[in-house]
Structures are given as structure tokens and as C-alpha cells.
Amino acid sequence: MTAHFGFTCTGSSDDGRERTITTAISPTYAKQILELQEAGATEEELHPIVAAAITESYFTDWGTRADSLQADFTDVQSIEFRF
């Protein structure tokens, strides 16, 4: 995925910027994404769940750091999922 990621976190010094990220996401999020796609969700409607999935796996390392961090993304240039 390549997109502009911004952050909300107490004490964070990270400004939003474009990042290319490759990461596994939990099966729970994968299921939610697939269900939303099947229900006809738009790309914009999928952004919050994808951001939560990437926050968990990439930014907080499965909950082992940056406990209060929340990432959101905009300006998605590319995204690819493999299941």
C-alpha cells in the first residue's frame, strides 16, 4: 500500500507523510474487509477498517508499542490485498 498516513498519538513527533507499507493483517480485519466489500462498501468506507488493521500490525506492532496511536490514511495511490 502506498498512501499518506497521519497519526493521532500522545507525545508523537511523527507528522503525516507518504509511506509504502507491506504488512500482514489479522484474520479478523481481513474478514471484516471482505464482508464490507461483498456488501458493496466504497473505497472511502473501507479506509477506517484498513487504517485500524495497519495500525495494529505495522504501527503498534500487534499492541506491543505506541498504545494510544491511531493512524488514518488519505490519498491512497495503491493498495493490494492477498488472502
Side-chain angles (χ1 to χ4, degrees), residues 22-69:
T22 302
T23 188
I25 62 172
S26 76
T28 302
Y29 283 115
K31 180 181 177 189
Q32 289 176 348
I33 291 166
L34 288 172
E35 287 173 347
L36 287 169
Q37 284 181 318
E38 288 176 6
T42 66
E43 257 188 56
E44 290 76 23
E45 291 170 332
L46 291 170
H47 284 188
I49 192 75
V50 173
I54 292 168
T55 296
E56 177 187 73
S57 66
Y58 183 82
F59 292 107
T60 67
D61 196 18
W62 304 101
T64 62
R65 61 184 170 91
D67 188 40
S68 64
L69 185 135

